[in-house]
């Protein structure tokens, strides 16, 4: 019998949604898009993961269509960036706050995606895949839409590899070791944050398969 789903605290979920929308709006602003263009990028950043999860894999109505706060918060982020564009362009604190929320939000939303997948009786490899899509889909869609290589795909400090590790760990804890879903969720969130903090502290980085001066 499937245990009750892990639920992100609503205020945290909305705060994370707003900050991810803000990150997308800032990207759109730097690309010199108009207000409508900035809103589209903000919407992709904040809701892309859940939309891919539900619309493509689980074939259910995505929350952006059922929860009015998704659009409202994205609009507020877009307006905030437009209104405070000069100040935001000079700030570094915004990026730091987004990185903190990202470190918490990616594994948390990945867990939500995996729980929904388990409830839908998706095979375990698919559960991990949907968890990864739920965690990273918005950022990937945002970067692709503006013509950049997604940050998640570039070599750098442990990010996607860390998320994959904790997604696999969550599936093992819940399905093999029968750990309570909520306990397992907080374990993998804490582990992901720890890996991110250590990779920043000690500058642990992944490397490209082809070295910079490798064969052309």
């Amino acid at each position: 019998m499937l245990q009750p789903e892990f639920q992100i605290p609503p205020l945290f979920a909305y705060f994370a949604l707003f900050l991810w929308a803000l990150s997308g709006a800032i990207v759109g602003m730097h690309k010199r898009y108009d207000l409508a263009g900035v809103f589209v990028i903000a919407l992709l950043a904040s809701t892309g993961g859940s939309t891919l999860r539900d619309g493509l894999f689980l074939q259910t109505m995505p929350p952006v269509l059922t929860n009015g706060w998704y659009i409202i918060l994205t609009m507020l982020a877009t307006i905030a960036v437009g209104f405070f564009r000069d100040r935001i362009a000079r700030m570094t604190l915004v990026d730091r706050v987004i990185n903190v929320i990202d470190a918490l939000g990616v594994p948390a939303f990945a867990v939500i995606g995996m729980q929904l997948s388990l409830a839908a009786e998706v095979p375990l490899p698919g559960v991990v895949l949907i968890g990864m899509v739920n965690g990273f889909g918005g950022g990937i869609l945002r970067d692709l839409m503006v013509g950049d290589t997604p940050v998640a795909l570039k070599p750098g400090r442990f990010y996607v590899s860390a998320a994959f590790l904790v997604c696999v760990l969550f599936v093992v804890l819940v399905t093999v070791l029968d750990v309570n879903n909520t306990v397992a969720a907080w374990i993998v969130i804490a582990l992901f944050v720890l890996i991110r903090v250590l990779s920043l502290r000690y500058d642990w980085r992944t490397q490209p398969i082809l070295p910079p001066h490798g064969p052309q």
Side-chain angles (χ1 to χ4, degrees), residues 115-130:
Q115 277 296 301
L116 293 172
S117 304
L118 289 170
E121 300 183 349
V122 174
L124 296 186
V127 170
V128 174
L129 173 62
I130 293 175

Side-chain angles (χ1 to χ4, degrees), residues 121-180:
E121 300 183 349
V122 174
L124 296 186
V127 170
V128 174
L129 173 62
I130 293 175
M132 294 290 288
V133 168
N134 205 160
F136 291 103
I140 290 176
L141 288 177
R142 176 201 63 203
D143 294 341
L144 288 175
M145 185 61 71
V146 301
D148 294 336
T149 301
V151 173
L153 304 183
K154 296 179 181 179
R157 296 184 178 92
F158 293 100
Y159 193 30
V160 173
S161 52
F164 178 75
L165 172 66
V166 300
C167 283
V168 172
L169 176 61
F170 178 82
V171 170
V172 171
L173 289 174
V174 171
T175 63
V176 178
L177 302 180
D178 200 29
V179 175
N180 177 271

Side-chain angles (χ1 to χ4, degrees), residues 162-203:
F164 178 75
L165 172 66
V166 300
C167 283
V168 172
L169 176 61
F170 178 82
V171 170
V172 171
L173 289 174
V174 171
T175 63
V176 178
L177 302 180
D178 200 29
V179 175
N180 177 271
N181 286 342
T182 300
V183 173
W186 287 114
I187 288 174
V188 301
I189 290 172
L191 178 60
F192 184 82
V193 171
L194 177 62
I195 293 173
R196 289 289 292 161
V197 169
L198 291 176
S199 67
L200 291 170
R201 173 65 178 82
Y202 296 104
D203 199 27

